[in-house]
Amino acid sequence: MSHVYGNTQALSEIDLTLSAGRIYGFIGPDGVGKSTLLGLIAGAREVQSGDVTTLDGDMRNARERSRTSPRIAYMPQGLGKNLYMDLTVRENLEFFGRLFGQKKSERKQRIDRLVTATGLAPFTKRPAGNLSGGMKQKLGLCCALIHDPDILILDEPTTGVDPLSRQQFWDLINDIRQSRPTMTVLVATAYMDEASRFDHLIAMNDGVILAQGSAQHLLESTDTKNLEAAFIALLPEDQRKDHQELVIPPRPQSGDKPAIEAEGLTRRFGDFTAVDHVSFRIEKGEIFGFLGSNGCGKTTTMKMLTGLLPASEGKAWLFGEPSSGKDLKMRERVGYMSQAFSLYAELTVRQNLDLHARLFHLPKDRVAARIDDLSDQFGLSHYMDDLAEKLPLGVRQRLSLAVAIIHSPEILILDEPTSGVDPIARDDFWQLLIDLSRKQGVTIFISTHFMNEAARCDRISLMHAGQVLDSDTPDALREKRGTETLEEAFIAYLKEATGAQEKADDQISQNNDDTTLSLAGTGHSKGNSDPRPQSNNNGETGNKTVPGFSPRRLWAYSLRETMGLLRDPIRLVFALLGTLILMPVFGLGITFDVENLTYAALDRDQTPESRTYLEGLAGSRYFTEKAPIRNYDEMERRIKSGELALVVEIPPDFGHKLQQGRTPEIAATIDGTMPFRAETIHGYVQGIHQKYVADHALRETGNTIAPLPASIQTRYRYNQDFKSIYAIVPSVIALLLVFIPAVLMAVGVVREKELGSITNLYVTPVSRFEFLLGKQIPYIALGMTNFALMTFLAIVAFGVPVKGSFPALLLGAFLFVVSTTGLGLLISSFTKTQIAALFGTAIATMIPSVMFSGMMQPISSLEAGPRVLSMIIPTSHFMTISVGTFTKALGFMQLYPQFLILALFFPVLTGLSMLLLPRQER
């Protein structure tokens, strides 16, 4: 089996056979192919080359994969990646139970047993986002075990978890295996110490298997004392030939003041205390380690020390001076390397170094020499012209360190700098740190969750839940607790801090009994690995789920999406208040009624006749008179400024020529910036002028102007008042119904991609149709709520009644909302980021809807291309229904063609979404 990502060979000619009933450990650093291999076995990734057979099912075949997936449980890499952080513990478990077709009574029984076995029973109402790292992993495991899988796949399940939670996690796995001895467990891990507990190890590097066998076998075959040394020995010669065992010389004592000092440092985020009264002192040139799990407050503490984050309480000093993010001189004495890669990926190594040298104001004559020194010292010479994003992980970390010290700082703060790095690269990185500390006297403050890395520090602080449990040398901490390893010492501190010391044995014993009950009592007897209950008509079984449409799985996603909407006040406010705000804005702001046009007169005659002529304009509801104009310069200025839309100039001798029966001329100057308005003004002026001529003839002769042989009398069949509000308001309803539901729907699927929870679609029995429709239903309901609000505003606030059939309008709105949410779903199915989905949806909905729906101009007047486009967008069809029912008193019989066309959008858009939404990662 082989697998490629672009130009990167993730797996190369892998041949592997795994037996049932064993626990397999895949060991190696990040990027060697462990996650790819596990994803292929689980069916989460598409097989590119070779064959993958899991539980006798061909992972290339969609039907066999669907039949096999209910027997597999997959926990992806990352804390709680398969969970929904806005759902509570119980709601997450209910969601997964529904995905596997379990009825309410069965779900309750399984959930109660699982949360009791894992110690989560007191926290079932707590949102998953508020759980600690260890509790998230336990919840993820419960969700994976809700359906009694035959294969349990765990991708680095304990990364970033504290040692006590890690120990409890593996004790739980062992208890489960005792109740299910035929269940196979596949684990990828970066912790060599925990790999020793697995039955069979598979060491991987650069997409190939280096060796496999038991931990003892690997140690004996490499003649090494620990698995990390064994892994290094298994690497190709060219990768390990220059590696030497890391030696840390003693730190020379200095009588200087502490480089870093914290006293009662506290940081709160609302009601949550991230760092709680932390105090410590770090000497000059010391390597000081912060040891703790993800989320314990290490990064927050570091940001407060550097001034990037203000402290809620307490004080911090650097070099004996209060720490301040505003003190630029102090910043120049500190180097900071963040947990994530924070350099510019689109720049080369040289450009990144040069940029940061300039940011720290290094003299121009020193920049080149400093970059050359760092490139030699950090082994970057061969990569200087390579883009940062193309670098191997170990080289990328060395570049980050080089950037952090380019300005020769006296203090270096490193936030988990070696996560995911292979052992050789980690040793090389540490050699650089030791040289900085011992040779240059740089004070190094480093955070980590690797025990062997913490043991290399001069002193360490053990941190948990925002508090420092103790600070001392690694050897002193072990002696204080009477343990052989630093991990055991940390576990002892954690038990004491959490009050678990006396309860631990009883809890584990109780967990054993509960776990055995939970698994042996939910469809599997001990030793029976493949019970095959008969399926029901809904495509579900008592314990395993088979392919077929399932309303329960669809409802699981609908309920989950509804909860997410209700618990996201920003989205909910945008959805509902957005309608209430935009409806008046668009309804009153968009109008085709050209009224209250400003005009002024340049009366150069000043006679009763000229004043009589101007009274016709002043008496019109279409015009608003402004101060008279005195000269041409003033006329030019006032028209150019936009103050006037029309200027009427009456020449000298206007009245005199009129009395003599001659034909005087009048000039009307119109602002033609907006052609539609200018043409309307032209028509108004002509009408007023004609009326004046007729009235003048009647006054002078007593006769009216001779009528034409035929006259035209204007009568409006609809909208007798001839006000655009009766057309605009129904049109605005269509515009907002295409925009707001589609935009909200557009982030529905792509958010799952960004958070990683899309994996649940890949590895559970849910079909694409169930997933997509389940996602769509809440937004359809939200769209209909918006329709009800807008209809209420139209009738009550704007005074636009529904003259036609309201049931016809309601049905049209429903079909239209189904279509618009389907359009958002389509865009969300193939985009990869929420930003792209939002922009794509906004462009695809608003522009065609405004330009080609018949709102701005009749569809019949459009060119051939735009006319075709108007027929394939749903807005034009609902626009006809909305305006027709509001203004023309139309009903079902007159509008049935629009209903039929709108009804076709659902199957078409849903089908396209299913085609574009991958069922596996590629």
Side-chain angles (χ1 to χ4, degrees):
M1 175 175 56
S2 298
H3 203 84
V4 177
Y5 298 110
N7 296 324
T8 302
Q9 187 78 40
L11 295 175
S12 179
E13 300 295 331
I14 294 288
D15 293 314
L16 188 63
T17 301
L18 306 177
S19 304
R22 307 188 74 187
I23 181 167
Y24 291 88
F26 295 80
I27 59 175
D30 286 355
V32 299
K34 305 189 305 295
S35 296
T36 300
L37 180 56
L38 293 183
L40 289 165
I41 294 172
R45 291 189 182 276
E46 182 180 325
V47 179
Q48 295 178 353
S49 175
D51 296 303
V52 180
T53 303
T54 306
L55 297 173
D56 298 325
D58 183 1
M59 292 293 104
R60 282 182 174 277
N61 186 288
R63 184 175 296 275
E64 291 191 32
R65 194 169 60 247
S66 298
R67 188 172 60 250
T68 304
S69 64
R71 301 175 60 195
I72 301 172
Y74 178 60
M75 276 182 62
Q77 184 178 0
L79 286 175
K81 278 289 188 180
N82 61 329
L83 305 176
Y84 294 97
M85 297 303 157
D86 53 348
L87 300 187
T88 65
V89 170
R90 179 169 290 277
E91 287 167 349
N92 269 286
L93 289 166
E94 292 271 3
F95 170 77
F96 280 92
R98 290 189 181 95
L99 287 189
F100 287 97
Q102 297 167 4
K103 297 180 180 179
K104 183 176 181 179
S105 58
E106 182 184 1
R107 289 199 307 272
K108 184 179 185 306
Q109 182 185 31
R110 288 171 178 267
I111 291 170
D112 290 344
R113 287 170 174 169
L114 284 168
V115 296
T116 301
T118 54
L120 292 174
F123 311 103
T124 54
K125 296 182 179 179
R126 181 178 296 184
N130 294 344
L131 299 175
S132 67
M135 293 172 71
K136 284 178 184 174
Q137 294 303 72
K138 289 180 181 178
L139 175 57
L141 182 62
C142 289
C143 293
L145 294 173
I146 194 78
H147 62 294
D148 296 346
D150 296 322
I151 295 181
L152 176 61
I153 301 176
L154 309 171
D155 192 356
E156 299 197 8
T158 58
T159 298
V161 177
D162 66 78
L164 178 59
S165 295
R166 193 183 308 148
Q167 182 189 69
Q168 292 173 345
F169 184 89
W170 291 116
D171 288 343
L172 180 61
I173 294 294
N174 289 334
D175 295 338
I176 294 169
R177 291 188 68 217
Q178 289 177 12
S179 68
R180 297 272 322 280
T182 56
M183 183 176 72
T184 306
V185 182
L186 311 182
V187 184
T189 182
Y191 295 106
M192 296 295 178
D193 53 345
E194 74 179 13
S196 59
R197 67 175 72 227
F198 305 149
D199 299 332
H200 192 91
L201 298 180
I202 299 165
M204 298 185 65
N205 185 65
D206 288 339
V208 299
I209 295 176
L210 299 175
Q212 56 179 309
S214 65
Q216 187 62 33
H217 170 75
L218 295 183
L219 294 176
E220 292 175 355
S221 62
T222 56
D223 193 22
T224 52
K225 297 180 180 180
N226 57 67
L227 284 176
E228 185 161 311
F231 184 84
I232 293 174
L234 290 169
L235 291 172
E237 176 65 25
D238 61 326
Q239 294 187 29
R240 58 181 171 86
K241 62 181 179 180
D242 296 326
H243 179 259
Q244 296 179 351
E245 186 175 353
L246 189 67
V247 177
I248 304 177
R251 179 176 66 89
Q253 297 296 321
S254 66
D256 298 335
K257 293 181 179 179
I260 303 175
E261 189 171 2
E263 181 179 321
L265 211 56
T266 302
R267 175 66 193 187
R268 299 184 184 91
F269 297 96
D271 296 332
F272 174 67
T273 302
V275 177
D276 190 5
H277 295 88
V278 166
S279 301
F280 53 80
R281 298 178 64 179
I282 304 175
E283 303 297 330
K284 187 178 187 306
E286 184 177 16
I287 301 178
F288 187 88
F290 238 18
L291 182 61
S293 61
N294 290 344
C296 72
K298 305 189 300 296
T299 300
T300 303
T301 302
M302 289 181 162
K303 288 183 176 180
M304 286 191 288
L305 291 175
T306 57
L308 296 176
L309 194 65
S312 302
E313 288 183 29
K315 297 179 180 179
W317 294 268
L318 301 181
F319 319 106
E321 298 292 332
S323 174
S324 172
K326 299 179 181 179
D327 191 340
L328 296 181
K329 290 185 177 180
M330 182 176 291
R331 281 194 178 188
E332 292 177 358
R333 302 174 69 184
V334 178
Y336 178 69
M337 179 176 166
S338 64
Q339 183 174 353
F341 183 70
S342 58
L343 302 183
Y344 294 93
E346 67 275 12
L347 299 183
T348 65
V349 171
R350 187 184 304 278
Q351 289 168 339
N352 269 290
L353 290 168
D354 182 74
L355 172 64
H356 285 82
R358 296 175 187 276
L359 290 177
F360 282 103
H361 304 290
L362 263 67
K364 290 184 179 180
D365 57 349
R366 286 186 50 204
V367 171
R370 181 60 175 163
I371 290 175
D372 290 341
D373 290 343
L374 290 175
S375 64
D376 293 338
Q377 181 183 356
F378 287 74
L380 298 173
S381 301
H382 298 297
Y383 305 96
M384 296 301 288
D385 296 321
D386 293 347
L387 293 177
E389 65 181 356
K390 302 294 185 182
L391 299 175
L393 184 57
V395 178
R396 196 182 300 176
Q397 297 299 83
R398 296 206 301 269
L399 172 60
S400 295
L401 181 59
V403 166
I405 68 167
I406 196 165
H407 57 295
S408 303
E410 299 170 52
I411 292 177
L412 185 59
I413 299 179
L414 310 173
D415 192 1
E416 297 190 10
T418 61
S419 292
V421 177
D422 66 80
I424 291 180
R426 186 181 298 129
D427 285 353
D428 292 343
F429 188 89
W430 266 90
Q431 187 61 59
L432 295 172
L433 298 184
I434 292 167
D435 290 343
L436 289 171
S437 168
R438 301 304 191 249
K439 296 179 181 180
Q440 301 180 33
V442 176
T443 304
I444 298 175
F445 186 13
I446 182 171
S447 71
T448 182
H449 49 71
F450 289 102
M451 294 296 159
N452 58 350
E453 197 166 69
R456 297 171 175 175
C457 299
D458 297 316
R459 287 190 305 134
I460 58 174
S461 274
L462 304 180
M463 196 168 188
H464 175 69
Q467 296 181 330
V468 171
L469 306 181
D470 200 353
S471 296
D472 214 326
T473 65
D475 290 338
L477 292 173
R478 287 195 296 268
E479 292 174 1
K480 288 180 182 180
R481 291 293 167 173
T483 60
E484 294 184 2
T485 66
L486 184 60
E487 180 169 352
E488 292 172 348
F490 196 2
I491 290 173
Y493 276 106
L494 288 170
K495 287 182 176 179
E496 183 179 60
T498 58
Q501 181 73 52
E502 297 179 358
K503 302 177 184 178
D505 294 337
D506 292 339
Q507 182 65 45
I508 291 174
S509 175
Q510 180 66 37
N511 285 352
N512 287 346
D513 296 338
D514 290 341
T515 304
T516 302
L517 268 175
S518 69
L519 292 171
T522 52
H524 283 289
S525 61
K526 195 167 183 176
N528 181 19
S529 66
D530 189 22
R532 301 296 177 96
Q534 298 298 315
S535 64
N536 58 27
N537 293 330
N538 290 327
E540 299 167 358
T541 70
N543 293 319
K544 303 294 182 186
T545 310
V546 296
F549 177 74
S550 168
R552 190 172 284 119
R553 294 196 295 258
L554 184 149
W555 173 242
Y557 268 105
S558 289
L559 187 60
R560 180 268 164 283
E561 199 67 26
T562 301
M563 290 178 177
L565 269 174
L566 295 177
R567 292 171 187 175
D568 187 346
I570 295 178
R571 273 199 298 165
L572 204 58
V573 167
F574 171 76
L576 298 178
L577 288 187
T579 299
L580 297 177
I581 294 172
L582 292 177
M583 180 72 175
V585 170
F586 285 0
L588 297 176
I590 302 176
T591 178
F592 298 124
D593 297 334
V594 185
E595 297 179 349
N596 300 316
L597 297 163
T598 57
Y599 84 97
L602 178 56
D603 188 356
R604 306 172 67 84
D605 188 48
Q606 299 292 329
T607 61
E609 287 78 5
S610 66
R611 287 191 290 272
T612 301
Y613 184 89
L614 292 174
E615 285 173 0
L617 284 171
S620 170
R621 68 183 177 95
Y622 300 117
F623 292 100
T624 300
E625 185 177 11
K626 295 294 183 181
I629 294 174
R630 292 182 295 272
N631 53 57
Y632 288 113
D633 290 339
E634 181 184 354
M635 179 181 74
E636 183 74 16
R637 176 179 57 79
R638 292 175 69 180
I639 291 180
K640 187 176 293 185
S641 68
E643 178 189 352
L644 299 177
L646 169 68
V647 173
V648 177
E649 180 186 356
I650 299 180
D653 298 330
F654 171 79
H656 180 67
K657 290 182 178 180
L658 199 61
Q659 290 174 358
Q660 292 179 342
R662 297 162 62 186
T663 307
E665 293 182 350
I666 294 175
T669 303
I670 300 172
D671 181 358
T673 305
M674 299 176 64
F676 175 79
R677 187 184 69 167
E679 188 64 32
T680 304
I681 294 173
H682 177 253
Y684 288 165
V685 172
Q686 277 192 328
I688 293 172
H689 179 78
Q690 290 174 359
K691 185 175 186 305
Y692 173 80
V693 171
D695 291 345
H696 177 73
L698 181 63
R699 286 195 302 270
E700 295 296 323
T701 66
N703 298 320
T704 60
I705 299 176
L708 295 173
S711 63
I712 298 175
Q713 297 292 327
T714 303
R715 297 285 186 269
Y716 297 105
R717 178 66 181 86
Y718 308 108
N719 191 8
Q720 287 85 356
D721 293 336
F722 199 57
K723 291 184 177 179
S724 62
I725 192 170
Y726 294 105
I728 292 298
V729 168
S731 300
V732 168
I733 292 177
L735 284 183
L736 294 182
L737 279 185
V738 74
F739 180 63
I740 293 179
V743 165
L744 290 172
M745 183 70 258
V747 299
V749 176
V750 75
R751 188 191 304 111
E752 301 250 3
K753 297 178 185 178
E754 288 189 342
L755 297 177
S757 53
I758 192 69
T759 304
N760 295 327
L761 169 65
Y762 302 151
V763 298
T764 64
V766 66
S767 68
R768 278 178 287 196
F769 179 72
E770 293 163 351
F771 173 78
L772 292 170
L773 185 57
K775 284 277 187 181
Q776 188 178 7
I777 287 174
Y779 295 98
I780 292 174
L782 189 60
M784 293 307 294
T785 302
N786 278 327
F787 167 73
L789 289 173
M790 288 188 287
T791 303
F792 176 80
L793 285 176
I795 297 172
V796 175
F798 291 96
V800 180
V802 180
K803 296 180 179 180
S805 170
F806 183 77
L809 177 64
L810 185 64
L811 176 61
F814 174 76
L815 293 175
F816 183 55
V817 169
V818 171
S819 301
T820 58
T821 53
L823 182 59
L825 198 64
L826 174 63
I827 294 175
S828 189
S829 64
F830 65 84
T831 50
K832 295 182 179 179
T833 65
Q834 295 187 57
I835 295 296
L838 289 172
F839 272 99
T841 305
I843 293 171
T845 55
M846 289 304 291
I847 294 177
S849 296
V850 171
M851 300 304 299
F852 307 120
S853 65
M855 178 180 178
M856 303 300 294
Q857 57 182 319
I859 293 176
S860 59
S861 68
L862 296 174
E863 298 289 338
R867 188 182 302 178
V868 171
L869 180 60
S870 71
M871 298 303 296
I872 61 175
I873 62 172
T875 314
S876 60
H877 304 287
F878 181 68
M879 193 81 72
T880 302
I881 295 173
S882 182
V883 175
T885 52
F886 268 99
T887 306
K888 294 185 176 182
L890 302 183
F892 285 103
M893 293 302 297
Q894 297 89 350
L895 296 171
Y896 77 88
Q898 280 70 38
F899 291 132
L900 294 177
I901 295 173
L902 283 177
L904 291 175
F905 279 100
F906 173 70
V908 171
L909 293 174
T910 302
L912 289 174
S913 299
M914 291 173 64
L915 287 174
L916 293 173
L917 178 66
R919 194 63 175 82
Q920 297 173 288
E921 285 189 84
R922 296 187 173 91

